[in-house]
Amino acid sequence: MDFQAIHDRLVAIDAPGLVRAELPREPNKKEKDPGRSGESYVVVDSARMVDFLLACRDDERLDMKLLVDLSAADPAVDDENFWVLIQLLSIEKKHRLSIKAFLPKDNARMPTATAVHRGAQWHERECAEMYGITFEGHPDPRNILLPDDWVGHPMRKDYEFPTEYHGISCE
Amino acid sequence: MVEAQKYKPSMQLSDESRVLPSGEREFMLDVSTADLEVNMGPQHPATHGVMRVLLRTDGELVTGAQPHLGYLHRCAEKIGENVEWLQYLPYTDRYDYLSAMNNNLGYSLAVEGLMTGLEIPRRATLIRTICAELNRVASHLIAYGTYGLDIGAFTPFFYAFREREWIQALFEKICGARLTYSYIRIGGVFNDTPPGWLQEVGHFCDVFEDKWREYYDLLVENHIFVKRTADIGVISAEMALDFGLTGPMLRGSGVDFDLRRDMPYMAYGEISDAGAFDIPLGRGEKGTLGDCWDRFYVRVAEMMESIKIVRWCLDAIEPGPVLGDVPKVIKVPAGEGYVGIENPRGELGHYVASSGGKVALRCRVRGPSFTNLAVLEDLMPGTLLADSVAIIGSTDIVVGETDR
Amino acid sequence: MEQRPFLDFLETLGPPAWVPEWALWLTAAGLGVGLITTIISLIALFSIWLERKVSGHIQCRYGPMYAGGWHGWAQTIADGVKLMMKEDMIPTGADKPLFVIAPAIVLSSIFGAMVALPLSYGFYFAQMDLGIFMILALGSTTTIGVVMAGWASNSKWSLYGAMREAAQVVAYEIPLGLALLVPLMALGTFSLLDASHAQAGFFGMNWAIFQNPAVLPAFVIFWVAALAETKRAPFDLPEAESELVAGFLTEYSGIRWSFFFLEEYAAMFLMSVVAAVFFFGGFESPLTWAAREAFGSNTHIVVQLVCFGTIVIKGFIGVFLMMWLRWTLPRIRIDQVMTMGYKYLTPLALACVLVAAIWEAILSLF
Amino acid sequence: MDRPSQAFYGLLTLLSLTALGWGLRGGGAHGLVFGLFTVLTLGGSLVCIWERSVVRSAFSLMATFTGVAGLFLLLGADFLAMAQILIYVGGILALLLFGVMLSPPDMNERKLPRVIGALLLVGGGVGWVALRVSSTTRSWAVTEELPEPVTHAREIGLGFLHPGKYLVPFELAAFLLTVALVAAVYIARRKKEDLEPRDSLGGQS
């Protein structure tokens, strides 16, 4: 299925939380490459993300059993939203879907996807420490790559680099 | 699809039960008939790098495992947002340093996807394929050798390194580097192959096919090795999908999926249409489907398939340009895109977003080792200490990639 | 008849009268210990070099090539010097006295066992009527040293190594002893010299392995158990470097660490010689037979030299076999080690003993 | 090392040296060796009583067992000495350590009354035996030649299997040991449910 077909199917099953589909510009030829996705994506309401993932996973024509990636992005300092980026993959049907959710920076909370895809667990931990997004109901919300006592969320665009760490100067 | 196997959710070691108050000199106070907490790593031969697994053991029996990452975190994604598009290329070499060609390829493909009107010359595509597949062989040779080390067999390691040295020498001839190549770049490859290089690759393929049989007999069919790896660390297909495993980890569980065939990029569609290569799958030959032996077998069998792909490319390659029309300072039009390619360890995904400038807005790397490692928490409880080493080895992680 | 080779030697030198008897006696003991130490060191020196070359050639490389010139013969010496120069480290939190004593116990028990080793019909440290019993007994005490080392290191990995060693050695001592009973029954003696004598026969080939049908399977059992006793791969679980870092050796460094290695190589040689003596004819070979035929007696110097050469060559063939196995096979798991020891080797060894006994009983009828 | 321990080990060293010197003066080289083995036996057992760490106590037993084996050797009982080392040092002590290493050290183990009590008990026992022996023997010196030790496997084996001598006790002991072994294996056998990961780790399940 190409992106348009996936979107039609999502609308047909009335996927929870589906806001809109984005096809930002004229897709170039390489967009036909099945290994590629993301130029066209669906925007999903972050609060209903779990239901959306569940619908994608359990619908037999979508069959998105594999959560490939879950990450976030901070588009700009003055942007008021984070993006949460999810890549889904169907092993049987051989198609991909990119999902984007907008999270307000002042209240970056969304439910965890761990219950639907266990693989999301570590990705969410990474997201949480790098961007300060809280995944509600996460079973193990510790830092994963950063030390436990790290201050700040390094991947934010407004992050200020520390000048020292435990007395070690890093200027 | 195999029969779904019931598995338990992971086990966490609670904070109260942490071993010792730090700084206090203790005299084996925690040695009792109760559980013993052991740090496997950060410096431990079985963790293949600086990774730490906190084990809770009851005698030799592991009752809980908790991987701790981040010892090799080098902020690759943050750097990606701060350097120019082409300058980031050398950083891609460093996350999975055993298959740097594939990393270059993944990043290049992701950026090229955003650049409208950029055509990759066919010769460049085929050279990229040859390099990526040779690199896959080299990477799997390491997986083969180090897994032998984990199980306690030294000699296969040296045999594997003998052939890997040859591949590295080939890469050295083509780009001057032996580990971090930065050879495949945005728009094609850095330079054309030196004279005679393709013939030498062909010669390597001939020799390797003989040697591969030797590897197979030495370790894959070794009775002790089979006893140590069969029925250990069983990942059912259901569990593999739930954890988002990819690559040999997924195929070891019997799921027939390979990005090179099913979602082809570059010339792979053509190659797989020509029927040039197969996808080896775990079949539960020696034990349960999805055990360590199956994963190991998939890797070893994949080396031969890579050689077949290389041979196909050698037949198809023709003279021509190797670098597309790329400006010195690349400006990528605004947009975003995700590209997943089949790295030796699974799906290596690059999500790049551009706002139209000289640097990326977001440069996300989805390392397969990172995702594959997450199963440890579930696999290790209930196994013996030696089995846990076998399980870590069978995930074939590169810590540079888990930590990035 | 009391055998006191060193004391006799000292007395032939004619010491002055004011030297008390006990001083002579102590000097003689010191000479003996010094000689054994030298022999063990030489064996270990050669074995380590051999291991490097064997592993190198198995792994398609050369091994040491530079130190000393010819095939890196001085590599082990250079390493030994380096080890002696290294800082003597005792980790904080280690049980210091035990940490220090452990290598000594390991080494002294193998020294003690070496005393029972005859080098030829006329040259031995002690005429031991119970030689093999003593070798087994003292050989088993190395376990205590290893357990002590593992416990005293105050490292959990070391403790694992110690536990594995204790479990493994206790499990494999039984099949080792039982398997040795078979040739003991066939030869009817505990003494290594007498055992060798009993295999003299025509052409020096009346080896125990040809005397009784149960001896060959017993040898296989013995060899597997000997590998486990000497902690050699595929039974190197106490130091399994990919699982336990280096097991009981983790915290040791420098000269103490090298003591454990001296012990390991000496034990390999010892076990190989025991196998040679009780299964493969000891000093006996066609060459020995020919030399004895030519010179008439066992005490002639040429015969003794031939005996010495035979036993050393047989010993090093065994050592080579151990190395070959080590560099070929993966390591087995601890539960598989235990299963093999208790479930298979012990009953098989018992069956061998039974078969051998029946065979001996039938032979005695004629 | 705490003060009482320092005093104890100092005293022990002093006593050992005295014993060695005494042996040397009385019996020359043989006396020295006899003194050495005595010191090993008695010193090892004293350390065993004194040490607070159970594992150290267990290790000190090695000295005791070895010393006893040495005394057997001096008496010409080779077989007994080797059996002592093989069984006690190589087997029982290894097993003992195996168990003891897993138990937590109890730093309050050593109490002076206990140590004195143990010493009194042992001393009393030894004294009583000494009195009994001395009442039947006139002299401590070994006057008669020791019997020639049995050294051949065949003879030792036949000694055990001689119907009139030790056959019945030998078989009984063997049977008893087999039963004990089987029973021990049965008791120690890990139940299947024990292999399952436990919930006591405090994680979610």
Side-chain angles (χ1 to χ4, degrees), chain B residues 41-68:
Chain B
Q43 274 82 35
H44 189 280
T47 54
H48 296 205
V50 272
M51 184 186 77
R52 179 160 75 105
V53 184
L54 185 62
L55 292 178
R56 167 166 294 189
T57 56
D58 175 12
E60 289 265 340
L61 191 74
V62 176
T63 54
Q66 198 177 54
H68 286 238

Side-chain angles (χ1 to χ4, degrees), chain A residues 140-157:
Chain A
D140 187 18
R142 293 175 298 124
N143 278 1
I144 186 161
L145 294 181
L146 300 178
D148 288 341
D149 57 352
W150 193 264
V151 181
H153 304 288
M155 286 299 280
R156 287 190 180 191
K157 282 279 195 299

Side-chain angles (χ1 to χ4, degrees), chain C residues 21-22 25-26 95-98 105 129-130 133-134 136-138 140-141 143-144 147-148 151 159 162-163 166-167 170 173 184-190 194 360, chain D residues 1 24 27-30 32-33 53 55-56 59 62 77-80 82-83 85-86 89-91 93-95 97-99 101-102 148 150-154 156:
Chain C
E21 185 241 345
W22 56 267
W25 196 89
L26 281 183
D95 194 334
K96 214 168 165 184
L98 294 188
I105 287 183
D129 291 329
L130 291 162
F133 204 43
M134 165 140 177
L136 283 185
L138 289 182
S140 74
T141 53
T143 321
I144 304 294
V147 171
M148 196 185 273
W151 191 82
L159 189 68
M163 301 299 275
V170 169
E173 239 159 42
L184 284 179
M185 234 185 280
L187 305 170
T189 176
F190 280 121
D194 293 353
E360 291 294 319
Chain D
M1 209 186 265
L24 191 61
H30 277 87
L32 186 70
V33 174
S53 156
V55 181
R56 279 197 188 185
F59 278 125
M62 183 186 180
D78 296 15
F79 189 83
L80 202 57
M82 291 309 140
I85 288 184
L86 185 70
V89 181
L93 187 56
L95 278 179
L97 284 167
F98 200 75
M101 267 199 299
L102 291 179
E148 190 67 19
V150 179
T151 57
H152 281 257
R154 228 179 264 280
I156 292 170

Side-chain angles (χ1 to χ4, degrees), chain A residues 3 6 10 16-20 37-46 48-54 56-57 64 66-67 69-72 83-89 96-102 110 117, chain B residues 336 338 351:
Chain A
F3 180 75
I6 293 172
L10 283 171
L18 178 65
V19 178
R20 63 176 191 274
S37 70
E39 271 186 66
S40 326
Y41 54 85
V42 290
V43 178
V44 175
D45 178 11
S46 63
R48 304 194 63 193
M49 182 63 87
V50 178
D51 299 327
F52 183 82
L53 291 176
L54 198 64
C56 287
R57 190 187 77 177
M64 306 274 193
L66 201 75
L67 181 133
D69 190 15
L70 187 152
S71 65
W83 302 346
V84 174
L85 307 152
I86 294 177
Q87 314 291 337
L88 291 181
L89 173 67
R96 285 180 186 278
L97 175 64
S98 287
I99 301 167
K100 193 186 271 186
F102 294 100
M110 66 179 283
H117 296 285
Chain B
E336 55 194 280
Y338 174 89
Y351 172 89

Side-chain angles (χ1 to χ4, degrees), chain A residues 55-76:
Chain A
C56 287
R57 190 187 77 177
D58 291 342
D59 182 65
E60 57 188 25
R61 282 177 60 189
L62 290 172
D63 190 49
M64 306 274 193
K65 289 241 164 48
L66 201 75
L67 181 133
V68 176
D69 190 15
L70 187 152
S71 65
D74 182 4

